[in-house]
Amino acid sequence: MKPYFESIDLHTWIKRDPLSVNFEEKKFVIESGIRELTKYHYHSSETYRAILNSIQFNVNSKHYMLHEFPPIPIKLFKEIDLLSVSKNEVKKVLTSSGTTSKTVSKIFLDANNLKIQQQMLINTVGSMLPAKRMPLLIIDSRETVAQGGSISARSAGIIGFGLFASEKVFALNNDLTLDLDSVLLFLEKNKYKPLLIFGFTYIVWKHFIKEINELKLDLDFSKGILFHGGGWKKLNETKVSNQQFRSEIKKQIKLGDVHDYYGMAEQAGSISIECRFGNLHTSIFSDVIIRDPNTLEVCSNGVQGLIQTLSLGPLSYPGHNILTEDLGVIIGDDNCRCGKPGKYFRVVGRVQYSELRGCSDVYAYND
Amino acid sequence: MLITINDAVDFDNSKSFFEEIFNAEPGKPFDDFWITFINDFVLEISNYSELKKYGDLVALANWCKNFFSEDYFSKKSSVYKNRVARGTVFHIPPNNVPTNLAYSFFAGLITGNRNLIRLPSSSAPQIEFIIETLNKLFEKRYYVARDKFFCAIKYQKERTITDFLSFNCDRRVIWGGDMSIKSVRESSLNPMGNDIVFPDRYSFSIINAEEYNASNQKKQLALRFYNDVFIFDQNACTAPHLVIWLGNKKTVSSAAKAFWELQEKVVSKKYELPPNKFSEKLALGYKYAAMKKDLRTRIISQKNIVRVQLGSIDKKIDSFKLNCGLFFEYTTDDINDLKKFVNKRYQTLSYFGFHPEKIRNDLLNMQLPGIDRIVPIGSTLDFDLIWDGKDLISELTRIVNV
C-alpha cells in the first residue's frame, strides 16, 4: 500500500479474519511493516529523521530484526510535535487522557489514518461480536464526545466502538450520574438481542457498577459483552483488582463476557483485547516486546518489564514503535488456552518513579 | 530546639518563644565560643555508628574541621572589621542536598546570628541526625545559655507561619530552586529585611583532552567526577550537565572514549539507576535532536550514562537538563567558545588539565555573564562561605561605619 508499504498490502491485511492468521505470516507482515514504516516516517517527518540520525540508525538496511528498530519513548509525544504530514493535512488531533501529568500527548491524524484506524478496530473487535451491528450502551455521557479538531482518547474510544452500533445510548448524564431511565429503556427495547457495552474502566466501576450497587438495582445484562479500557491506575488507587472488577460486574448486572483492552491514544485503532483467560492478545496489526527498564534489553517471556508496542496503524505520524511507561509480561508466544493465535501478555501496572529530590523543597509549596 | 507546628494552636503557643528569639541580643561575629561548639559537633558526627552510610555527613564533618581551622576566626575578624550580626536569620534549605541546612546554619551561627531553620518536608536520616545532634549539644550546660541561636521548625505548607517568620527575621536565606523562591517570596519581609537566594543554577565541566590522555590519574579522576555527580543523582546545582572537551577532534575522541568507559565502570559498581531513567534520558536526548535538527548530534547510550554529542552550542543548552547521568558534550579547540553559551544561570565550572588562575583570567577577559566558581573536578561539592557569587559573611552581618 503505497506510499507507506512495499512488501505488504495493508488493504488486504485489514480484511483478514484474525483467527486465520498464523504465527509466521504475522511475523513477516509486522516486521516488514515496521521496517517500511520506519523508512517512510524517516523521509516524511523532519523531527523523526533527526532522532534516527542522532542514533545513527540506517533506515535502508534490510537486516534489522523487529526488536532492533528503535522505539520512541512515549513521553516524547507530549513534548514535541511528531507528524509525517503537513499541518494542513491534519484532520484531527487526538490527545491522550493525562492521568498525572499536566501535559498530554498530541497525535496528528489525517483523513486516511482516521479511516485505517477505524478499519483496524472493526477487524479486531468485529471478529469477536455475534453481529456486525449491535445495540450499544456507552458508559459515559454524551458530553464526553466532543466535536471539533481535537478529541481526547476517551471520546475516540466511544467513537470507535460506535462503529459497531445499530443504536447508541449513553448510560450517564452530563454530570456522570446514572441515567437510569435510558438504561432501562435500552434493556427493555433490546430484550432479546445481544448487547454491546463500552466504557472506560474507572468510569464503568465508579459511575455504573457502584451506582447500581448503591441503588440496589436488578439489571440483567446477561446477553451483553463489555469492552472496557483506559487503564487501571485510577482503580489501583482504590485497590480494585481485575478479578474483583469482573466478579462485581457478574454480581451486579449478571454480565459474564467482559473484555479489558490495552490501547493508547498514540496507537489508536490497534488494541489488544483480553480473552476469557485474562490474557491480552495483540491484534494482527500490532506486536509487543518487553524490555528491562534499566538496560532496555529485550526480556524473555515470563519476565516483567517495560512494554514496547509496535503497530502498523500510525501512518500520518511516527507512532509505529513506542516504548511505553507500562510494565507488562509476555506469557507465551502462540498457545493461549483460549485458542486465539499469537503472542499473549498481561499488563502489570505503571512503572514506579522513585522520588528523586529536586532542587527545591517544592513539595511543601505546590499543591 | 526543635519546634513542631501541626495546627493553629501549636502556632499560637510557639509565638512567645519566637518573640524571645527575635528580641534577643545579637551575638558577636567570629565569637571564639563557637569554636568549641563546632569541634563538639564534629566529634558527635565521628562517633555516629551509621556514619559510613552517609558520605555527605563525612564531608560535613571534614568541612567543619578544615574550614574552621585554628586561626579562621581571628583571620576573618581582621578582614571583616566593625561588623555586627544582623539578628535573626530564617533559613529555608533545599530538598536535594540534605546536609545543606547544616552549612547554612553554621554560616548564620559564626556570624553571630540566631537561626531559624525550616526543615525540608522530606526527612532524610542525615537531617534527623544533624537536628538531634544540635539539640543535644544545645542542651549541654556549656551551651544552653545560647540555645536561642538554634531553632529548627517543622511545619507543613502553612503560609501564615512563613509570613510570620519572614516578617520578623532580619535575613531570609532561600536555597532554591526557582519555584521555592517564588513561593516563599509571597511572604513579605519587613522593610529592613532582605533575601539571600540561591536559585536554579547550571554547572558544567571542561577537560583538556591532551592533558587527559597524558595523565596517569585517569582512574582517580573518574572517581572524583562520580562524587561530583552521582552522590546527589546529578541534582545538586554544582553537578555538571555538560562536558566541554578542549582539543582537536582526534585527541578528544580518544580522551572521551577512555573517560566515559572508566566513568561507566565506576557508576556500574557504585550506583543504582532509578527505574525508567534510561528511557527518560533517551527521551530528552531525542527531544534535543528533534528540536535542534543538527546532523552532527549523536546520542551514545550505555546502561548508566547517556551522552548527547553536540554539533553546535548555544545559550539555551542549559534548558536540556536531566539527572542520574545524562551529559551533553561539546568539542572545541578554542576556549573563547564559552562566550557562545554561558549565560547567567551558570554557576560552577569544574575542570581537569588546566591551571586554575589561567582559566579564571581567560574567563574574566571574556566577561561572561555567568560562572561563580571554578574548581577542580571532584571539588564541586566543597562548600565555601563565598557561594553563588555571594559573600555570606558580608550578607549576614552589617557594618558599623564611622
Side-chain angles (χ1 to χ4, degrees), chain A residues 54 79 357 360 364 366-367, chain B residues 95 157 177 179 235 287 299:
Chain A
S54 73
E79 311 211 355
R357 299 170 296 241
S360 59
N366 276 359
D367 265 323
Chain B
N95 225 11
K157 289 190 196 190
M179 276 164 70
N235 274 328
K287 181 178 174 183
I299 298 177

Side-chain angles (χ1 to χ4, degrees), chain A residues 46 50-51 53-54 56 73 76 79-80 294-295 306 323 352-354 356-361 363-367, chain B residues 94-96 118 120-121 157 176-177 179-180 183 233 235 237 274-276 278 283 287 289-290 293 295 297-299 324:
Chain A
E46 218 188 335
I51 292 170
N53 281 338
S54 73
Q56 299 188 270
L76 214 53
E79 311 211 355
I80 56 176
N294 286 324
T295 62
L306 286 176
L323 186 63
Q352 290 296 345
Y353 289 93
S354 59
L356 282 178
R357 299 170 296 241
C359 194
S360 59
D361 193 16
Y363 308 107
Y365 292 93
N366 276 359
D367 265 323
Chain B
N95 225 11
N96 63 334
R118 189 202 176 291
S121 50
K157 289 190 196 190
M179 276 164 70
S180 250
S183 192
D233 304 302
N235 274 328
C237 291
N276 210 36
F278 196 164
K287 181 178 174 183
K293 300 191 183 79
L295 276 175
T297 308
R298 283 285 172 273
I299 298 177
C324 305

Side-chain angles (χ1 to χ4, degrees), chain A residues 202-216:
Chain A
Y202 84 95
I203 304 248
V204 170
W205 178 260
K206 187 170 173 208
H207 300 285
F208 191 65
I209 298 299
K210 290 273 104 189
E211 262 306 287
I212 289 168
N213 184 36
E214 287 282 302
L215 301 170
K216 302 209 187 317

Side-chain angles (χ1 to χ4, degrees), chain B residues 153-221:
Chain B
I153 312 159
K154 204 180 183 113
Y155 66 94
Q156 297 288 340
K157 289 190 196 190
E158 208 17 84
R159 176 64 189 273
T160 49
I161 302 174
T162 307
D163 283 351
F164 173 74
L165 296 171
S166 297
F167 192 79
N168 286 292
C169 73
D170 299 291
R171 280 298 179 267
R172 184 170 63 185
V173 183
I174 314 173
W175 282 91
D178 289 358
M179 276 164 70
S180 250
I181 292 170
K182 191 159 176 256
S183 192
V184 172
R185 276 180 165 165
E186 285 174 16
S187 297
S188 320
L189 299 164
N190 74 62
M192 290 190 71
N194 221 346
D195 271 333
I196 301 164
V197 295
F198 298 98
D200 291 333
R201 303 302 297 272
Y202 182 83
S203 296
F204 70 117
S205 295
I206 185 165
I207 302 177
N208 182 324
E210 210 180 305
E211 292 287 325
Y212 180 81
N213 284 332
S215 165
N216 58 3
Q217 298 282 303
K218 292 191 179 72
K219 282 208 177 122
Q220 290 88 328
L221 184 68

